[in-house]
Amino acid sequence: MKRMLSMIMIVSVVLLSIVGCTSTGQQDAGTASGDNGDKEKKKIKIDMMIASWKGGGWPDNNHPIIKHINEKFNVDLQIQWVPNANFAEKLNVIAASGKLPDVIRMDSPSLYLKWVEQGVFLDLKPHLAEYSSLQNIAKPEEWALLNPKDQIFGIPIYATAQNTIYVREDWLAKLDIPIPTAEEFTIDKFYEIAKAFTTQDPDGNGKNDTFGFSALGNSSLFGIPELFAAFGLANGWKEEGGQLIPMQVQSDEWKAFLTFMSRAYKEGVLDKDFITNTNFNEKYAQGKVGFADMHYQFSQQTNQQLQTISPGADFVELSPPMGNNGSRGNSTPTSGTIKVVLSKDVDDQKRDRILQLFDWWVSPEGEDILKNGIENIHYKKNSSGAYEMTGELKAEGEGRQSLLWNWVLRNNNNTFNTYKWSDPTWAKEMEQSIANAGKYPYKNASDAYIFSSRTYLEKGSALNESFHKTVIEIIAGKKPIESIDHAITEWKSNGGDKIIEEVNAAFTANK
Amino acid sequence: MNAYWKRAFPIYFMILPGFLFFIIFKYIPMIGISIAFIDYSPFKGITGSEWVGLHYFRRLFAEGDFLVLLKNTLLLNLLDVVFFFPAPILVALLLNEVRAKRFKTAVQTILYAPNFISWVVIVGITILLFATGSGGINQILDNWGLGPLELMTDPQYFRWVWLLQNIWQGAGWGAIIFLAALSTIDPTLYEASTMDGANRWRQVWHITLPGLRNVIVIMFILRFGHIMDLGFEHIFLLQNPMNQDVSKVFETFIYKTGLIQGDYSYSTAVGLFKSVVGLVMVWFVNRLAKRMGQEGVF
Amino acid sequence: MRHEKGLDRLFTILVYFILILAAAMAIFPLFYVLSVSFSTEIEYLTRGFFVIPKQFTLEGYMYLLGHPGFTSAFRNAVILSAVGTALNIVLTSLMAYGLSKRWLRFRSSLNFMVFFTLLFSGGMIPTYLVVRSLHLLDSFWAIWLSTAIAPFNVIVMRSFFQSMPSELEESAKIDGSGEWRLFLSIIVPLSKPVIATFTLFYLVTNWNTYFTAILYLNDADLMPLQVFLRQMLVEDDPTISNASNVMYKYTPAAKMAAIILTALPLLVIFPILQKHFNKGVMLGSVKG
């Protein structure tokens, strides 16, 4: 005890003396330049903090596209790329230091809501009318999403359905099964074909090593939401009779779905590894699975890999399978749950400059530069007059020039992954496949309200996790199908009922 | 200036830079512990946020999963203390008995290397071998008609997989500190005992192990400071819906409920709770060690 | 080599047997990593677990060595580790040596001060604020200074110094030579194995710097190797594909080659340092 006391004394004496020495203020000078001349001409520094994904951001802020922007708008664009896994941590730490970056992309709706309440973002509503291109990238309800009435704190990021079910066309041909049309493609048909893929050796290697479809046991909706849609289960939540209903309480739908899935597991139609799978990329490229959940670009990449192993292998697009009561869907994200925000500390002049920049950014001219890059650096015209990637971009990787477009802000065109040099058939098919996926919307009705539920924020993930566990156990044949009812009761009584109540309160309040 | 200060002055001077480091980078930030007792908002700061007292601790103890988290955490740590802790000592003792220098360097380097293979890769390889359907070893078992060994999904294996991977990755690395301690043993002791006719086994028991005692005791005491801590990444990668009843621990819990939503007060409260338990355990083990005539850590 | 008696011979055989077994178990998965780094993607996809690649390719290594991001990250890691470790080892050994003096007043309070930080920390937000108020952000100094001493290492190193024979100190006292001379010309040379050990500990920690770099550095071109490595190994969550529509791929060979190249410097340096801590110091000869 004595030594603890003396330690505390030593520490506090030194602490006091240090605090005394350093507390003489030191404030960042902020934007320098005492020039009071033409305000439009003043160079403005803009800090952006953006989450980076696989491959990371650009190595420095001298990228040709950034240089182009700097010159065009007389700004000094400073982008901080933070790996997505650590983004929230770093953002919180920076927030604690009292000065947010000027522009932030908020990928987490719950943090967005929390910080809107704290009033740290700039209200864009009074200024938007001046910037028509920017205003047109989203519908009014998408601008309003997650915002208080009459205020808009973030620019909504456009999101669209892309994924659907794909099938190995070469396998179908081998087994003499015609490609099912949208009307024919029922969930029973899906199972019948999947079973044939499992038992009739579609890759012709004489081994019983293929299966119908795979799944990601650790991800929401198993990474294959079309199956949930076919059984009428909600994509999280659905609206019915003016009420929002969570998927967890849909007892009958669950039983039908689980019967289907557990049979698939037992018969080897469902990948036996589905619980430990973390991604589909390798599964599909290995050529052992017949149905896939992917989007067009993913399918093209997979086909390329597949064909090095077995020539002729080809994944082609299908409609989502149709359930017995006609329900079907491709998971459709809600545009505007991800926002780009401006810090409230941004002064008027800087705010105008940023909004001018963004207004140009989403215009056709800006899109051209931000998506395709700079001519003669990222792409060039070849002798026949068509565009092609330069060697440098090829070495860096196609798409690496579009980071500002795809990771920061983009407009609502469905061409975000087609470039000037893209094969025209490819580009057309890509756009078509996005249009197709949009035909069967399958939305989470709670996206705007779920984060208003305090119980959900505190207990939601733990509740869903233990519910999810029962689902997996039933599929893997460890528990009978009826045990889902027990899981439903547990989910409801441990906080689920409260979540339903709170989410519906937010829902009705907003109507 | 009296004799003590004359002698001690240079010593204090040696300690000074380290002392300043601890004050500036460890003790000033300790103010942050108070985040556990307030409803912390980064914009209001520590002084501006509302005081909520023990609210977050009550919330933690009231969590439906609290006892499960506690049990899993303690069990995994217990396994680790019992099976992992002695592994590096054993490796060091074995290496110490090797006279062939090249062999020793080679084996030691090989055993040390897994420390640089990240958990993503280690878990990835394990899944590659033991995935229920496509795992290499499971396919062999299947060919022999032994059925799949559901190593990654059956909850009964989880703790052992975790433990074995820990040993695989860390035993060689952990041996280094004990090898360093072995180097401080006076070699004349061995010479004398050989002349007395003692065999190798007796030398290990009567010279080598006592020579390591100090370090072993210190490492053991310090280990108890982390009796509530587990590496997040390793467990998180091994976790799946099937094994979550035995694999959920405070780190994964906090990741899912607190960190993602920026709920710093709650994460801080959980961290503080773990530290206090660690402190109590260390204090207890430290006293035990002192009572047994060992030098403690404080 | 002198002839061993029966029991001792058995003992030796047992020791070698266990070590060979352990090494075999350790090397097996490592071999896989190495093999994949030299193999083609097709082989990786089709063969599952394998140890010898059928088709040998250097593509993964060529890709990395030609990648400007990798070379700059490597350079940063070298600078971070070299300077950081030097600072670590000087500060830690001075402090640990000072605290090993049993006669020192306030010693146990200071020891407790060090120990306490092993368990309790203020967390990253206040530490960040301290680093920021010292104007260290966006420079390596932020990392060097904020991680200058690991309390664990002070405690363990102190116990090493404590186990040194007290005659050393007595003799120095009689000589009338000062504490600094005692430390520099007697203790340090005698403690080479210990210093080598902690140099390795710090070196590995510094080499693995990830989170502090993310936190304190903003410039992408200051990022060290682990940041680069993680950005390669991370799998984008397939269920949030809308957040990142850039389909970007590294071949498995490139990923594994990155792991090998990242670990290589530490694997090379190990036998060099190991020589020191396996040697065994003739404390006895000093005493005599």
Side-chain angles (χ1 to χ4, degrees), chain B residues 4 12 27 108 200 275, chain C residues 4 105 113 119 169 274:
Chain B
Y4 170 78
Y12 284 123
Y27 278 91
Q108 203 181 337
R200 301 264 301 270
S275 297
Chain C
E4 289 180 323
R105 279 182 212 165
M113 177 186 94
L119 294 180
E169 199 179 321
Q274 189 200 28

Side-chain angles (χ1 to χ4, degrees), chain A residues 3 10 14-15 89 92 95-96 110 114-115 118 120 217-218 273 275-276 457-458 461 465 468-469 472 478, chain B residues 19 23 28 40-43 59 131-134 150 152-153 239-242 244-245 256 261-262 264 298:
Chain A
R3 63 166 174 251
I10 299 176
V14 178
L15 270 181
E89 283 167 294
N92 268 286
S110 65
K114 207 166 161 179
W115 285 12
Q118 312 255 357
V120 295
N218 246 335
D273 297 339
I275 302 169
T276 46
L457 290 176
E458 286 187 1
S461 72
E465 206 172 53
H468 192 74
K469 173 178 171 258
I472 297 276
K478 312 271 178 202
Chain B
F19 180 72
I23 296 301
I28 292 180
Y40 176 72
S41 147
F43 306 105
R59 181 175 152 194
T132 311
S134 64
E150 296 182 331
M152 306 308 292
T153 51
Q239 206 167 48
N240 60 53
M242 292 285 267
Q244 55 158 293
D245 279 351
K256 285 170 187 165
Q261 289 151 19
Y264 270 89
F298 55 85

Side-chain angles (χ1 to χ4, degrees), chain C residues 26-37 49-53 260:
Chain C
I27 211 167
F28 192 52
L30 292 178
F31 234 93
Y32 173 74
V33 175
L34 199 65
S35 305
V36 173
S37 78
F49 189 91
F50 61 93
V51 175
I52 309 291
I260 302 276

Side-chain angles (χ1 to χ4, degrees), chain B residues 8 39 209 216 284 288:
Chain B
D39 182 12
L209 268 178
I216 294 178
F284 182 74
L288 209 69

Side-chain angles (χ1 to χ4, degrees), chain B residues 166-188:
Chain B
N166 272 352
I167 293 177
W168 184 80
Q169 197 207 38
W173 167 251
I176 291 170
I177 190 119
F178 298 106
L179 284 165
L182 285 172
S183 72
T184 62
I185 295 175
D186 185 349
T188 55

